[in-house]
Amino acid sequence: MTPKISLRNVTKEFVVRQGKGPRRNSEPSVLTALDDLSLDVADGEFLTLVGPSGSGKTTLLDLLAGLSRPTAGKVLVDGKEVTGPGQDRAVVFQQYALFPWRTASANVSIGLENKGLSRKQRAQTASRFLDLVGLAGFEDRYPHELSGGMKQRVAIARSLAYEPDVLLMDEPFAALDAQTREQLQDELLRIWKATGKTIVFITHGIDEAVYLGQRVAVLSARPGRLKEIVDINIPDRDGDADIRSHPAFVEHRHQVWSLLHDEVRLAQDSGHRKILPDGTAPDEQPHERSAA
Ligand SMILES: Nc1ncnc2c1ncn2[C@@H]1O[C@H](COP(=O)(O)OP(=O)(O)OP(=O)(O)O)[C@@H](O)[C@H]1O
């Protein structure tokens, strides 16, 4: 069966300049964010993605979203090469990016405006998706009247409303307090089960990765390569038990922690992999190319 998402030998390079101001080096260098990465995601799968800072997680999500193109290799969705953003994929960012002058309902309706629906139909669809994310009755609230968790629910409802097959989530719960985060993790699992979406979810949280993912993809320190994919098998996952204290959860968490810990140490140990605060790397060789 064709995987829903397929990354085939994907490399992404950026051309950067070292230093700043008068000390800025005129020679551009190439920063390899992702290196020869191959990965398949099945239809309806929930994949979480972890990796040290700078390992290329957001770069990978941007490629899947069609916001940028790989330097080499291919990104396929349903067997077709991704050449730009599309209605089949929605992105949820850490920052909710809601329009402050629009109500929750109007924010959710945004993606429906080109679908030839009447105003009433759009409002009904928005209500249905606000209901799905647990915000029934909040249609007329403005973003400033909502908590952080509620705003993120609106953002998720907005992404779901135009019925994408794939949900791409870049640390969507990172700005929320621990309790709200856990609540939204459960909501997301419920929505995923109800809708059958394919989800790729980036997180810095090992617990979150293991709790949400059917598989956890671990990236190596920059340049990002696929270090390992951990299959998550936790018995009784659908029950009422506290999954986070289940021995299988604890074991998976330790496994992912060890893989990540090795990568973070490697990145720190080898000076040539260090990344300067301005995003450039001292190890990269000057390169002829001039565009990212
Ligand atoms: N547009 C760009 N131009 C130049 N370099 C870039 C660009 N986007 C990303 N990079 C570099 O590519 C590398 C990977 O960045 P990316 O944001 O994908 O990492 P990440 O794993 O998401 O990091 P974090 O966990 O800190 O958010 C970094 O070294 C970053 O500085």
Side-chain angles (χ1 to χ4, degrees):
M1 218 170 72
T2 314
K4 189 73 191 171
I5 296 170
S6 193
L7 294 148
R8 298 216 185 125
N9 306 102
V10 168
T11 294
K12 178 67 183 176
E13 296 172 344
F14 294 105
V15 175
V16 292
R17 287 178 187 273
Q18 310 247 11
K20 276 195 175 153
R23 292 198 1 242
R24 192 175 170 100
N25 186 340
S26 59
E27 285 292 334
S29 45
V30 169
L31 184 152
T32 306
L34 292 172
D35 187 23
D36 197 24
L37 191 144
S38 294
L39 169 69
D40 283 348
V41 185
D43 191 13
E45 180 176 357
F46 199 136
L47 179 92
T48 49
L49 188 69
V50 295
S53 188
S55 60
K57 301 182 291 298
T58 297
T59 302
L60 195 152
L61 213 78
D62 285 350
L63 291 170
L64 291 175
L67 299 173
S68 69
R69 301 289 302 273
T71 311
K74 281 193 173 143
V75 179
L76 307 167
V77 172
D78 287 324
K80 284 193 228 87
E81 194 162 359
V82 170
T83 54
Q87 294 264 314
D88 56 339
R89 286 153 285 139
V91 191
V92 180
F93 300 101
Q94 181 178 336
Q95 290 307 327
Y96 331 111
L98 301 179
F99 292 108
W101 59 87
R102 283 185 165 227
T103 61
S105 173
N107 264 290
V108 174
S109 300
I110 286 170
L112 306 169
E113 285 173 0
N114 296 326
K115 289 210 160 184
L117 299 174
S118 69
R119 204 185 178 89
K120 191 173 166 200
Q121 284 169 322
R122 291 203 303 268
Q124 280 169 346
T125 308
S127 281
R128 187 156 57 84
F129 283 97
L130 283 169
D131 190 17
L132 181 68
V133 299
L135 283 182
F138 287 84
E139 287 81 358
D140 297 330
R141 297 284 186 92
Y142 286 90
H144 75 270
E145 299 174 307
L146 301 171
S147 69
M150 289 163 129
K151 281 188 244 198
Q152 194 55 291
R153 284 169 199 256
V154 175
I156 293 171
R158 180 178 56 190
S159 303
L160 291 169
Y162 61 89
E163 315 250 8
D165 291 345
V166 176
L167 214 47
L168 304 168
M169 308 186 86
D170 193 352
E171 299 191 55
F173 305 149
L176 306 174
D177 64 85
Q179 208 181 335
T180 309
R181 193 181 315 139
E182 287 193 6
Q183 204 182 349
L184 276 183
Q185 288 167 356
D186 287 335
E187 291 282 316
L188 183 62
L189 282 177
R190 183 182 58 71
I191 292 165
W192 169 63
K193 284 174 194 157
T195 59
K197 304 283 174 208
T198 306
I199 300 183
V200 178
F201 186 108
I202 291 179
T203 176
H204 272 110
I206 299 174
D207 272 39
E208 184 167 71
V210 174
Y211 188 71
L212 293 175
Q214 293 176 298
R215 294 192 299 159
V216 180
V218 183
L219 293 191
S220 67
R222 200 177 66 76
R225 300 189 181 105
L226 188 61
K227 184 176 171 85
E228 197 158 320
I229 294 195
V230 179
D231 283 312
I232 306 297
N233 293 307
I234 301 168
D236 312 324
R237 206 170 171 156
D238 294 330
D240 285 337
D242 174 13
I243 291 301
R244 290 178 180 83
S245 52
H246 193 290
F249 183 94
V250 175
E251 200 181 311
H252 284 313
R253 184 175 52 195
H254 181 69
Q255 195 181 357
V256 175
W257 181 87
S258 306
L259 288 164
L260 264 178
H261 191 251
D262 287 352
E263 282 309 311
V264 173
R265 213 188 39 223
L266 255 177
Q268 285 166 348
D269 286 353
S270 51
H272 71 279
R273 282 196 178 171
K274 269 196 186 131
I275 302 163
L276 299 174
D278 64 358
T280 58
D283 56 316
E284 249 85 34
Q285 294 304 310
H287 198 273
E288 292 298 308
R289 272 182 311 125
S290 59

